[in-house]
Amino acid sequence: MGEELRLSIAADVDVVEARQQGRALAAVAGFSSGEQTVIAAAISEIARNILMYAKKGEITLSLVQNGDRQGVSIIATDQGPGIPDIDRAMQYGYSTSHGVGAGLPGAKRLMDEFDVDSVVGRGTTITMKKWRRAI
Amino acid sequence: MDNKKSMSVSTRASDATTLSESSAGLLRELVAHLRQNRTQLREEWARRITRAELLTAMTEEEIFAEATAVYDNYVEALETGTFEALQAYSRRLSERIIPRGVETDEVVGIVLLLRDVLARSLFTKYQDNVEKLNRILDSYEPAANRIANTVAVGFVEERERIIRQQQEAIRELSTPVLQVRERLLILPIIGVIDPQRARQLTEQLLRAIRANRAKVVVIDVTGVAAMDSGVANHLVQTVEASRLLGATVIVTGLSPEIAQTLVTIGVDLSEMATVGDLQGGIEEAERLLADRAAPTTQVREIAPESQR
Amino acid sequence: MEVPILRQGQYLIASIQSALTDADLSHLREALIAQVGRSRCRGVIVDVTALDVMDSFAVRTLRDIAHMARLRGAETVIVGIQPDVAFAMVQLGLTLKGVATVLDLEEGLAFLNRRTEERFLETKPKRPSERG
Ligand SMILES: Nc1ncnc2c1ncn2[C@@H]1O[C@H](COP(=O)(O)OP(=O)(O)OP(=O)(O)O)[C@@H](O)[C@H]1O
Ligand SMILES: [Mg+2]
């Protein structure tokens, strides 16, 4: 499982690149085309948040294994302003940028595991994973 | 995992050099013995398999051919201490014999028989030297156990994989999307819906909408006994996703209990077209389709080539 | 990636050719709104068949296009959302409520024809409160 892809996110083309790379990796892991799209959509939201709120950051994509289950892991980190109230940010409809407020809660819904770690003034790390269903 | 195990074994062996040397020597002697008596031991094994009424789904020639291959892989595993070849072979063997109805206990049974056949031949050979016999058995036992384990585990894994595949196929068969007439699909949902099946149903339905260019879909949930909020939410998502593909969904056969669940989790039933029973749902669908008939035909004449 | 906008009769057709960045999407919105104003067309079709993903930004942009076009008297219909994309959208909680969506270009034209016909047949003009 050595494969790891680090992508820097600093412009809107990087968002497209990240989700396309994520889709390709999901295909390698054997996810269905429906699941590949779901993974790509989650990456798109998280990558855009980096761009929008932290200006720049990084996304690391990798294959993971748990017992006989294959999956993909996506880690998004930035050194931006951080999220003061994570619970609120996770609520559908909450947005500080007149957005839909669907990005974080939506991505959580799309993935199997979703974890936000954020310190105000230091930055934000979001870790998410999706596991393949048993064959 | 296998690698790690054999690594730690060899480390331990080199710690106790004298012991490992002598046990390696014994194993070599054992392997030579098994090579020399290959024909006879193989035949004996195949005979015992037949007598124990194992692998009854296979002919005697087949049993002998497989027994030969397993025997050779077995000896090789003993000699080299590596199990990859045996593992691969047992997977292929399982693939071949599982469809013919061979059961797990039969496979475990034949491997144990082989162990027994070989042990007996060792008894005979070393019956005058009990001390050496014991040492040979000591070095043989762990390897033999691992071999038996490898074959049995390979078989069980293969079997589980096949069962899962079959379940998948049955699932897909049991959720048909029916086209009753042009542009109208019916999805009758029967039985228990878990999240995974719900997802599958939706994916199938959405593809069918596109493939059949459906305008109206009737989802009949009469056959659904219970719905937790997760599945109910999923139903709502399915209705919304269908709309994004341009199809109107009519839900029929909602029991009062399920309707209550939907309301409790905050689904606005007035946003969802619901009709009492399937028949009524189809009639409603026909009405919706008739409403759009005229203009649609007009455009179709203009652009027939874009039809599939 | 520039999105070509074609004029066909009373309608504008924007057909997206590949995955789009946020800037591309914003640009498409500006271009469409400007052309609707200039050309006084009655309908807008946005063909999203080639979009790999519809996330919150794409949905917001499409909704803005529909609303702004409506203010200028044109009806918008989104065509070609792929099954996988639609499913991911609703799981994200994005539904494009209030915006017409149909299967493909052919259906999109049929939809606009029907709408235009309906409007033509209406004897008295709709009150503004009923639109929007
Ligand atoms: N990487 C981040 N750094 C700082 N704040 C963030 C970050 N990601 C999200 N947030 C905060 O969390 C809020 C919710 O994010 P979410 O993605 O759910 O909605 P949104 O970006 O506002 O709108 P949408 O994604 O629907 O367009 C944001 O408005 C922002 O305040
Ligand atoms: Mg966001």
Side-chain angles (χ1 to χ4, degrees):
Chain A
M1 298 286 100
E3 249 166 283
E4 195 181 89
L5 202 59
R6 286 157 159 264
L7 302 162
S8 100
I9 305 293
D12 65 353
V13 286
D14 299 335
V15 176
V16 176
E17 172 73 9
R19 71 178 186 233
Q20 288 180 343
Q21 293 286 354
R23 179 191 292 272
L25 192 71
V28 169
F31 283 97
S32 73
S33 77
E35 290 167 320
Q36 290 168 31
T37 305
V38 155
I39 290 164
I43 294 174
S44 198
E45 293 296 344
I46 298 312
R48 171 167 311 96
N49 280 354
I50 291 181
L51 200 60
M52 198 174 252
Y53 305 110
K55 303 284 178 281
K56 61 184 173 39
E58 197 174 78
I59 287 191
T60 305
L61 307 171
S62 57
L63 293 173
V64 285
Q65 187 125 22
N66 179 5
D68 59 353
R69 288 220 293 175
Q70 272 255 310
V72 290
S73 149
I74 297 136
I75 301 172
T77 43
D78 64 60
Q79 271 79 55
I83 305 174
D85 187 343
I86 294 178
D87 286 345
R88 252 180 106 192
M90 289 305 298
Q91 273 168 26
Y92 185 89
Y94 175 78
S95 173
T96 56
S97 65
H98 304 291
V100 184
L104 291 179
K108 181 181 167 141
R109 194 136 51 122
L110 293 174
M111 304 297 284
D112 294 327
E113 289 176 36
F114 191 91
D115 184 58
V116 186
D117 186 10
S118 189
V119 178
V120 173
R122 299 274 287 279
T124 303
T125 296
I126 290 176
T127 307
M128 46 190 199
K129 293 195 180 100
K130 191 159 185 81
W131 298 104
R132 259 179 68 192
R133 305 178 250 141
I135 299 186
Chain B
M1 278 225 310
D2 283 338
N3 282 340
K4 257 189 221 148
K5 249 185 224 161
S6 59
M7 255 166 56
S8 70
V9 167
S10 61
T11 326
R12 231 190 304 138
S14 67
D15 284 347
T17 320
T18 44
L19 184 94
S20 88
E21 242 166 55
S22 70
S23 95
L26 288 170
L27 220 47
R28 250 200 312 280
E29 191 174 330
L30 172 66
V31 167
H33 170 71
L34 299 183
R35 288 249 157 82
Q36 259 157 35
N37 298 284
R38 177 170 180 261
T39 311
Q40 182 220 323
L41 289 172
R42 239 175 352 156
E43 278 167 6
E44 169 67 9
W45 184 33
R47 232 185 344 264
R48 295 272 307 270
I49 291 174
T50 317
R51 213 177 324 138
E53 295 189 3
L54 293 171
L55 306 184
T56 45
M58 296 163 71
T59 67
E60 273 186 33
E61 292 77 42
E62 283 173 325
I63 292 179
F64 190 69
E66 299 288 9
T68 302
V70 174
Y71 187 94
D72 291 343
N73 277 297
Y74 191 103
V75 175
E76 195 198 311
L78 274 179
E79 183 174 33
T80 59
T82 60
F83 295 79
E84 282 76 20
L86 182 68
Q87 223 163 16
Y89 178 79
S90 70
R91 235 191 329 266
R92 283 196 306 275
L93 171 69
S94 308
E95 241 171 69
R96 278 198 297 276
I97 62 181
I98 288 170
R100 308 186 46 180
V102 174
E103 294 293 335
T104 312
D105 59 320
E106 293 184 274
V107 169
V108 175
I110 65 164
V111 181
L112 291 179
L113 270 183
L114 176 59
R115 230 180 65 158
D116 191 54
V117 167
L118 299 187
R120 272 164 202 268
S121 100
L122 293 175
F123 285 142
T124 322
K125 182 172 158 76
Y126 296 105
Q127 56 189 336
D128 300 332
N129 189 347
V130 178
E131 200 258 335
K132 184 158 192 191
L133 173 64
N134 277 338
R135 277 193 293 134
I136 288 228
L137 287 179
D138 278 350
S139 64
Y140 167 63
E141 277 290 323
N145 285 339
R146 252 200 89 195
I147 290 171
N149 210 32
T150 303
V151 174
V153 166
F155 183 87
V156 169
E157 279 175 359
E158 182 61 25
R159 202 178 134 89
E160 277 171 1
R161 195 181 67 79
I162 289 176
I163 290 173
R164 275 203 299 268
Q165 244 170 19
Q166 286 168 343
Q167 278 172 344
E168 188 79 2
I170 289 169
R171 270 188 168 164
E172 255 155 41
L173 279 180
S174 63
T175 54
V177 180
L178 311 168
Q179 180 169 30
V180 260
R181 52 162 279 193
E182 219 193 324
R183 326 215 78 184
L184 170 57
L185 297 178
I186 297 186
L187 175 66
I189 306 180
I190 296 161
V192 183
I193 324 180
D194 53 39
Q196 182 180 332
R197 182 156 172 246
R199 195 166 22 215
Q200 249 167 4
L201 280 172
T202 306
E203 282 185 8
Q204 254 179 290
L205 176 66
L206 296 178
R207 296 213 172 103
I209 288 173
R210 191 162 180 86
N212 297 290
R213 315 189 84 245
K215 285 260 85 171
V216 185
V217 177
V218 179
I219 300 182
D220 182 51
V221 296
T222 311
V224 176
M227 215 185 261
D228 63 14
S229 64
V231 173
N233 263 320
H234 194 93
L235 179 65
V236 176
Q237 287 178 3
T238 306
V239 172
E240 285 168 352
S242 302
R243 190 191 80 83
L244 291 173
L245 300 190
T248 306
V249 175
I250 299 170
V251 179
T252 63
L254 272 180
S255 71
E257 291 78 25
I258 292 177
Q260 188 56 50
T261 310
L262 291 174
V263 172
T264 312
I265 63 165
V267 174
D268 187 355
L269 281 180
S270 65
E271 290 248 315
M272 190 144 83
T274 58
V275 174
D277 63 1
L278 182 57
Q279 189 52 44
I282 293 174
E283 281 163 17
E284 175 66 22
E286 303 269 0
R287 255 195 304 282
L288 284 177
L289 285 169
D291 276 355
R292 327 189 183 214
T296 310
T297 337
Q298 232 177 2
V299 174
R300 283 204 154 193
E301 280 164 11
I302 299 167
E305 70 278 14
S306 61
Q307 260 175 275
R308 291 184 182 215
Chain C
M1 174 69 61
E2 187 93 17
V3 177
I5 300 173
L6 309 171
R7 177 159 190 148
Q8 179 168 332
Q10 305 190 70
Y11 309 140
L12 293 177
I13 303 175
S15 53
I16 296 170
Q17 307 290 319
S18 68
L20 295 185
T21 66
D22 293 359
D24 296 333
L25 277 163
S26 302
H27 187 254
L28 171 64
R29 182 188 57 210
E30 303 316 320
L32 267 178
I33 299 312
Q35 286 206 35
V36 170
R38 257 202 318 272
S39 65
R40 309 206 142 271
C41 69
R42 312 297 304 266
V44 174
I45 297 179
V46 184
D47 185 350
V48 300
T49 309
L51 273 191
D52 60 331
V53 152
M54 284 251 245
D55 57 14
S56 55
F57 191 85
V59 164
R60 195 180 350 156
T61 308
L62 292 175
R63 213 156 46 189
D64 287 352
I65 289 173
H67 289 169
M68 290 162 87
R70 192 170 291 163
L71 290 175
R72 288 167 169 73
E75 198 69 38
T76 300
V77 58
I78 311 296
V79 309
I81 300 178
Q82 296 299 306
D84 290 345
V85 172
F87 196 20
M89 273 174 75
V90 297
Q91 288 178 80
L92 264 173
L94 304 169
T95 57
L96 272 175
K97 276 217 168 68
V99 181
T101 50
V102 298
L103 193 70
D104 55 18
L105 198 55
E106 183 189 338
E107 289 291 327
L109 288 166
F111 173 86
L112 288 180
N113 285 342
R114 213 156 45 230
R115 268 307 166 87
T116 319
E117 217 167 279
E118 276 165 21
R119 272 198 276 182
F120 183 72
L121 291 175
E122 277 165 12
T123 42
K124 59 175 183 182
K126 279 214 163 195
R127 278 165 286 138
S129 63
E130 282 180 49
R131 312 217 61 100

